[in-house]
């Protein structure tokens, strides 16, 4: 193995390589394009493409692919070779600027939500020079955006880049108001912590539900779960440690700063945290991380489950989206800092986030809405489906002091006036942490904890960037015209806190009482994807996205359609898998066991005529009753399956799945799980939770 510094980024056409391999003026032109978005001319692209190709060929690469992120949630690739005929019957390796900059994959098979009829199948991929090209599986991968012939985004990267620009535009207005003339851009940064499960491949293969749905549809609770909390941060088993080591190496080669690997709360659950980076790159890296987790697991006879809730009764997996804002000169705008001017600036950005989250709760909720994540939110293991912000006692007290004009704690007698008085040195440590909040301030960033483990982080970050851009736009409009800046800022912050403080909640988010309290405060509680997703079409959502040019109305409609369709399809597959497993695996196992127990009753009676066969008879009786229940459960699911297919609108269909089908699935599952607890071990139709969670 190479030493770490050599290994890190060795498969990436990064800044160092570019500086080495590109002529100075080409390198500078590319840098300008990346930093300031100046267009790149074809000559420059040609030189870059050629240098990329040479570098890739030296690494044994023969193909290149535009690497993009269609609305399926996974990445897509279309491979072409560098080969060109050389005239003399031989070939040369070629890669032109045109091929680097633009690709034309057939777009007809990617979801477009009605945006693009199949006969207009043309789609374009366009090079995103802000994310480095890299080598994966022997191909040179070029990160690209994917859009339709008419320019609508068909992917997750395009709107993410647009939202970063929107935020940059508005945040720069504020930064300038504070007299900062050196910063040229405001960048959003993200560090997504990724949770996942590892299960044995041989056991995985025996569970149709895991194979088809990525989660178990059946499974009685094992005698031991996570109640002892002995897994969290526990010693890592050798097989898992070997997996983690290899995963780290693969990620490092791709320039991904995987930093922390540890066991999570549930048995067989683990977490990987990267060092944060620019949002766009963080999103690309997270997609690659998930892909690598799956690949590397297979090499160790394991399967990596990225589903948000693979096991009932055991914690699901999330993806904590740590998010902050900083200037291109490295100033974190959410860092409380210590000097007065910066503090006023900090408080302004802080209140901008508070306002945004309160005003657009529905958007944040729906940005993490998937069939899988619905099982996790509100299950008292992850935040409820209610959005709130945790600020901690210190910061909350400061805001309260500002709002009420009261003296603040340590500096008794003195009335807080933002921007005039120095705030107390802010404790950036972990003294008062809250793990139950969906949106927590953690020292110099916010941690959005609602995204599920399988989600692309683009969605939530598109929303975050856009809604905060909107707060900042309103703030800038007001402050730019102010006669007295200090006074205006004070009034603005005070008014914003007063208006939006209902979103702040520092208590236990898992508590039932909070859900009631939240309802009293008028906060949204959108329990399912079916309930949440239609809010994408609200007037308010349309306005904020179109105003900041992140989504057009057409794009919003198509995306809503895609999300709901995907929800319906997921549930459809789950229903069919459930029916299949009940009929072909569970019921036959029950009948076999009933037969054998009945045979032993006969045998017992023959051997000892007055033998009491109560235990055996009870087992048969209970199992037959449960088998009947399961069988009528299947009938009900079949009927509902037909009904679901009769809906013309995806929205109505989604509501039907959420309100009728899911409860019917839960009922069938309850019967099956009781059966599992009664069946003899050798009769069990597939590996149990104990097998999956504890035999690694
Ligand atoms: P935790 O205790 O929740 O694990 P850490 O301090 O280890 O918190 O950070 C968690 C994640 O937050 C890491 O991925 C880290 O890179 C990321 N992070 C830290 N600072 C920032 C920032 N300014 N912007 C975005 N993400 C950040
Ligand atoms: Mg965390």
């Amino acid at each position: 193995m190479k030493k770490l510094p050599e290994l890190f980024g060795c498969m990436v056409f990064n800044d160092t390589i570019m500086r080495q391999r590109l002529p100075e003026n080409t390198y500078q032109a590319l840098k300008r394009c990346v930093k300031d978005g100046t267009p790149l001319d074809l000559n420059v692209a040609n030189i870059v493409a050629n240098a990329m190709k040479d570098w890739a060929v030296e690494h044994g690469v023969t193909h290149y692919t535009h690497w993009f992120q269609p609305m399926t949630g996974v990445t897509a690739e279309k491979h072409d070779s560098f080969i060109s005929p050389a005239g003399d019957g031989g070939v040369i390796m070629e890669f032109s600027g045109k091929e680097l900059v633009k690709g034309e994959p057939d777009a007809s098979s990617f979801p477009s939500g009605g945006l693009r009829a199949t006969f207009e199948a043309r789609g374009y991929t366009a090079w995103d020079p802000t994310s480095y090209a890299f080598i994966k599986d022997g191909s040179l991968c070029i990160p690209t955006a994917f859009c339709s012939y008419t320019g609508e985004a068909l992917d997750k990267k395009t709107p993410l880049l647009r939202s970063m620009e929107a935020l940059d535009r508005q945040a720069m207005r504020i930064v300038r108001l504070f007299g900062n003339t050196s910063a040229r851009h405001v960048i959003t940064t993200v560090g997504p912590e990724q949770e996942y499960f590892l299960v044995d491949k041989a056991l995985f293969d025996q569970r149709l539900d895991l194979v088809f749905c990525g989660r178990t549809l059946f499974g009685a609770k094992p005698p031991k779960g996570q109640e002892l909390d002995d897994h969290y941060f526990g010693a890592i088993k050798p097989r898992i440690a070997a997996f983690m080591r290899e995963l780290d190496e693969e990620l490092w080669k791709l320039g991904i700063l995987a930093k922390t690997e540890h066991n999570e709360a549930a048995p067989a659950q683990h977490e990987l945290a990267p060092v944060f980076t620019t949002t766009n790159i963080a999103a690309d890296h997270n997609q690659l991380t998930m892909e690598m987790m799956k690949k590397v697991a297979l090499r160790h006879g394991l399967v990596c489950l990225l589903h948000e809730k693979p096991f009932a009764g055991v914690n699901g997996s999330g993806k904590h989206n740590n998010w902050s804002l900083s200037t291109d000169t490295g100033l974190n705008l959410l860092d409380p800092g210590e000097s007065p001017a910066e503090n006023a600036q900090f408080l302004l950005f802080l209140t901008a986030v508070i306002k945004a989250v309160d005003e657009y709760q529905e958007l944040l909720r729906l940005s993490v809405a998937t069939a899988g994540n619905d099982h996790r939110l509100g299950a008292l293991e992850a935040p409820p489906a209610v959005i709130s912000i945790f600020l901690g006692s210190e910061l909350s007290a400061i805001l309260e002091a500002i709002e009420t004009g009261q003296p603040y704690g340590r500096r008794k007698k003195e009335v807080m006036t933002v921007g005039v008085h120095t705030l107390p040195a802010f404790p950036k440590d972990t003294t008062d942490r809250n793990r139950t909040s969906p949106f927590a301030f953690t020292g110099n960033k916010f941690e959005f904890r609602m995204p599920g483990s399988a989600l692309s982080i683009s969605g939530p970050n598109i929303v975050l960037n856009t809604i905060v851009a909107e707060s900042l736009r309103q703030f800038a409009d007001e402050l730019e015209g102010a006669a007295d800046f200090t006074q205006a800022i004070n009034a603005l912050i005070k008014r914003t806190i007063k208006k939006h403080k209902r979103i702040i909640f520092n208590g236990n988010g898992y508590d039932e009482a909070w859900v009631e309290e939240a309802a009293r405060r008028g906060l949204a509680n959108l329990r399912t994807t079916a309930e949440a997703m239609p809010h994408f079409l609200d007037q308010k959502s349309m306005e904020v996205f179109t105003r900041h040019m992140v989504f057009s109305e057409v794009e919003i409609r198509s995306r809503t359609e895609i999300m709901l369709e995907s929800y319906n399809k997921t549930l459809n597959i789950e229903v069919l898998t459930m029916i299949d497993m009940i009929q072909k695996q569970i019921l036959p196992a029950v009948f076999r066991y009933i037969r054998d127990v009945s045979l032993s009753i006969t045998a017992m009676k023959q051997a000892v005529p007055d033998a009491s066969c109560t235990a055996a008879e009870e087992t048969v009786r209970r199992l037959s009753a449960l088998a009947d229940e399961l069988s009528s459960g299947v009938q009900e699911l079949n009927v509902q399956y037909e009904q679901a297919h009769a809906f013309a609108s995806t929205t109505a269909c989604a509501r039907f799945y959420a309100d009728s089908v899911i409860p019917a699935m839960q009922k069938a599952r309850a019967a099956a799980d009781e059966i599992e607890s009664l069946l003899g071990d050798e009769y069990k139709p597939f590996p149990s939770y104990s097998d999956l969670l504890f035999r690694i």
Side-chain angles (χ1 to χ4, degrees), residues 331-342:
L331 174 73
N332 182 340
L333 297 168
L334 289 176
D335 192 333
E338 281 171 48
S339 80
E342 276 172 14

Side-chain angles (χ1 to χ4, degrees), residues 189-193 273-276 322-324 332 433 435 444-445 447:
T189 49
V190 166
E193 299 165 71
V275 173
F276 70 95
N322 294 276
W323 176 94
S324 192
N332 182 340
R433 271 166 92 81
R435 299 211 158 266
N444 59 2
K445 62 184 188 294
E447 183 171 349

Side-chain angles (χ1 to χ4, degrees), residues 217-218 578 582 622 626 628-637 640 660-675:
L217 300 173
F218 305 100
M578 191 164 219
I582 293 176
R622 185 69 196 134
L626 286 168
D628 287 347
E629 232 175 86
L630 209 48
S631 167
S632 55
V634 167
Q635 272 170 25
E636 195 183 336
L637 286 175
Q640 294 199 338
S660 303
V661 182
I662 290 178
M665 289 174 72
Q666 279 161 348
K667 221 168 101 194
R669 179 187 178 136
D673 290 355
E674 191 180 340
I675 287 174

